Amino acid sequence: MAYLAELDARLLLYIQDIFRYEPLHSFWRGISFLGDLGWFWIFSGVLLALNPKTRTAGLTAIAALVLSIFISNVILKNAVMRPRPFEALPQIMPLVTHASGYSFPSGHATAAFACAFVYYKMLPAFFGVPFMILAMLVAFSRLYLGVHYPGDILGGIITAYFGSLLAIKLMRRLQKH
């Protein structure tokens, strides 16, 4: 386990060394802001739920978001209790000041991918693909900003994947009845 933690830290430091470029700091902060408190993903789900043609996808995304965030932020974060990279690695300087709580898994990545997986599966590609790209950008922003390890991002994506699969399955079951 120590080997994985060291590999995770080294990979984050490598990402920080290679990609951090001061003129891009504001861009990555803005991308990360889309995941703050899940507001963008909640908004997208509600917006889609208001349209009869996309209602099922919107409601499913909201269900996936709630389920995935519960698993991530209530269960996993409190079970693992991993400190944030800037708390454990003195060479990491976070570019946002509001990152708090435990690091694993990333709540931003969980929220983004919970909805993006649903949109990718339930909507036409011209909707689903841009949402997947945006989810990837949000996840990368957390590494760029120095508030998560790559393993935290991977944990969030995996949590979101299973949460979205469960939400899709439940929605299909409800539609049959």
Side-chain angles (χ1 to χ4, degrees), residues 46-145:
V46 169
L47 200 60
L48 290 169
L50 292 174
N51 183 332
K53 291 181 182 179
T54 57
R55 181 166 291 136
T56 301
L59 292 174
T60 305
I62 292 168
L65 181 63
V66 169
L67 180 62
S68 298
I69 289 296
F70 178 79
I71 293 167
S72 174
N73 290 6
V74 176
I75 298 172
L76 293 175
K77 279 187 186 278
N78 291 310
V80 175
M81 297 190 297
R82 185 180 199 186
R84 294 207 178 248
F86 58 84
E87 296 170 334
L89 303 170
Q91 59 271 52
I92 297 289
M93 298 301 296
L95 297 180
V96 291
T97 58
H98 58 274
S100 61
Y102 297 119
S103 191
F104 181 88
S106 166
H108 279 68
T110 302
F113 277 97
C115 291
F117 284 138
V118 169
Y119 300 153
Y120 186 78
K121 181 79 172 166
M122 298 183 77
L123 295 173
F126 65 86
F127 277 115
V129 170
F131 275 111
M132 287 296 285
I133 292 169
L134 183 57
M136 289 182 228
L137 291 172
V138 168
F140 181 79
S141 76
R142 305 305 283 168
L143 300 171
Y144 183 94
L145 297 174

